[in-house]
């Protein structure tokens, strides 16, 4: 057996509505990777589809946690960051990486700030600029189509895209400094939805698609990014990690649709975990 890999996951905790750390913890663990957490904020629910949510900024806790881990000499095989509550947390994340990321630590940044052409609640252009700076620190970035457009100052195009448009986005993202980018939520033809990725070091493009379901499924990006980041941490090749993570998300969406779970409550990923674990056992 290979040695247990260790990831630092830096996200918010939304108590209801499965996303961020409440997704990352079980999904990363199911992949066979230890998940250590630095919460960026505490919310009663996520901000999409719910109203009246409570919010507590945890900026003051980020660096003390990172310093303690650094003092302990803990080695992290990867750092995976998602929702940040403010541009200031972007700067705190950079300092956190200085403390806990070694030369061999894989850094995955999911610039979780927008969807469907709009920023998330309480976030705006200053958050986009903060994530642009973080791109240069990342080995891998996983923006959705809206975030990719915002990061590259490109007009957002809803609906079906031409592959050439997505490739242009990827090339613009490469100028920000990451090694690889995977743009999620892309539809290249009717009835299909998935990811277009590019390794900027060798120029290889990967396209992974599945059958699309009508409407928005909240938390699907976090389920994909958590699985994808954990698989890469385990040592999976880019194409393998993309395919396994996308298949997992598609299975979660089908289960959510079948059960009629309210979309804003998040994906029914729990029921999909056994088959996901079996797919991983066949891979490693």
């Amino acid at each position: 057996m290979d040695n247990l890999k260790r990831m630092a996951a830096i996200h918010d905790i939304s108590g209801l509505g499965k996303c961020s750390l409440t997704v990352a913890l079980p999904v990363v663990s199911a992949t066979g990777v230890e998940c250590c957490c630095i919460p960026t904020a505490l919310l009663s629910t996520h901000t999409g589809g719910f109203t009246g949510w409570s919010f507590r900024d945890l900026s003051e806790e980020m660096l003390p946690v990172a310093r303690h881990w650094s003092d302990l000499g803990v080695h992290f095989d990867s750092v995976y960051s998602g929702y940040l509550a403010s541009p200031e947390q972007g700067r705190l994340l950079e300092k956190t990486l200085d403390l806990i990321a070694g030369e061999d630590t894989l850094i995955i940044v999911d610039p979780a700030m927008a969807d469907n052409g709009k920023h998330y609640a309480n976030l705006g252009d200053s958050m986009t600029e903060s994530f642009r700076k973080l791109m240069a620190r990342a080995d891998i970035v996983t923006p959705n189509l809206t975030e990719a457009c915002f990061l590259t100052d490109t007009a957002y195009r809803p609906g079906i895209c031409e592959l050439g448009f997505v490739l242009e986005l990827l090339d613009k993202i490469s100028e920000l400094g990451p090694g690889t980018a995977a743009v999620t939520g892309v539809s290249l033809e009717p009835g299909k939805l998935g990811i277009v990725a590019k390794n900027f070091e060798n120029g290889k493009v990967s396209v992974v698609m599945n059958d699309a379901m009508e409407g928005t499924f909240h938390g699907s990006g976090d389920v994909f990014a958590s699985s994808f980041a954990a698989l890469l941490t385990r040592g999976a090749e880019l194409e393998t990690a993309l395919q396994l993570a996308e298949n997992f998300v598609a299975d979660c969406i089908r289960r959510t649709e079948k059960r009629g779970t309210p979309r804003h409550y998040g994906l029914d990923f729990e029921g999909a975990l056994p088959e996901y674990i079996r797919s991983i056992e066949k891979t490693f």
Side-chain angles (χ1 to χ4, degrees):
M1 297 178 65
D2 55 344
N3 292 329
L4 180 66
K5 303 291 186 180
R6 179 182 291 122
M7 170 193 290
I10 305 173
H11 293 261
D12 73 283
I13 298 177
S14 293
L16 180 67
K18 292 172 279 190
C19 66
S20 302
L21 281 179
T22 58
V23 165
L25 269 167
V27 172
V28 171
S29 298
T31 314
V33 175
E34 179 184 353
C35 187
C36 307
C37 302
I38 298 182
T40 60
L42 174 64
L43 295 88
S44 55
T45 68
H46 65 73
T47 61
F50 291 99
T51 59
W53 29 269
S54 67
F55 173 87
R56 181 176 293 276
D57 189 304
L58 298 178
S59 296
E60 293 183 357
E61 302 301 323
M62 291 175 65
L63 288 183
V65 172
R67 290 192 188 102
H68 186 208
W69 289 353
S70 177
D71 291 343
L72 292 172
V74 178
H75 174 265
F76 289 96
D77 297 283
S78 65
V79 176
Y80 158 45
S81 73
Y83 179 88
L84 302 177
S86 66
E88 172 59 26
Q89 286 196 347
R91 291 184 282 274
L92 291 172
L93 177 56
E94 291 189 71
K95 294 179 180 178
T96 297
L97 292 174
D98 291 338
L99 287 165
I100 67 173
E103 292 184 2
D104 61 344
T105 301
L106 185 69
I107 299 174
I108 304 119
V109 174
D110 182 17
M113 61 175 170
D115 204 0
N116 297 314
K118 298 179 180 180
H119 280 98
Y120 294 147
N122 297 340
L123 300 180
D125 291 340
S126 58
M127 196 71 244
T128 300
E129 185 57 37
S130 182
F131 273 121
R132 283 196 187 110
K133 294 177 181 177
L134 285 166
M135 295 293 101
R137 297 292 300 268
D139 296 297
I140 311 215
V141 297
T142 59
N144 61 32
L145 186 61
T146 295
E147 292 156 352
C149 288
F150 286 2
L151 287 167
T152 60
D153 199 21
T154 302
Y156 170 69
R157 299 182 189 178
I160 297 171
C161 299
E162 294 183 357
L163 179 59
F165 172 70
V166 184
L167 293 178
E168 287 179 10
L169 282 178
L170 285 165
D171 287 341
K172 290 178 182 178
I173 291 172
S174 74
E175 296 173 3
L176 299 174
T180 295
V183 179
T184 64
V186 174
S187 179
L188 300 177
E189 60 179 299
K192 297 291 182 181
L193 191 70
I195 305 118
V196 180
K198 186 172 183 179
N199 182 322
F200 301 128
E201 294 180 1
N202 60 26
K204 184 178 179 180
V205 173
S206 302
V207 178
V208 177
M209 294 284 149
N210 265 302
D211 293 336
M213 292 281 192
E214 289 292 328
T216 299
F217 288 84
H218 290 276
S220 56
D222 288 340
V223 172
F224 168 79
S226 297
S227 171
F228 182 54
L231 288 162
L232 292 171
T233 304
R234 281 289 303 267
E237 296 293 331
L238 177 64
E239 189 95 26
T240 301
L242 286 169
Q243 190 68 65
L244 287 175
E246 177 61 14
N247 287 348
F248 177 46
V249 172
D251 192 12
C252 294
I253 289 175
R254 285 191 294 268
R255 289 171 178 272
T256 304
E257 181 74 3
K258 185 176 181 179
R259 286 189 173 184
T261 304
R263 300 287 182 88
H264 58 300
Y265 277 69
L267 294 188
D268 177 18
F269 71 85
E270 295 91 343
L273 282 175
E275 183 57 36
Y276 174 62
I277 292 170
R278 283 191 286 270
S279 71
I280 293 167
E281 290 173 342
K282 295 175 184 176
T283 303
F284 296 99

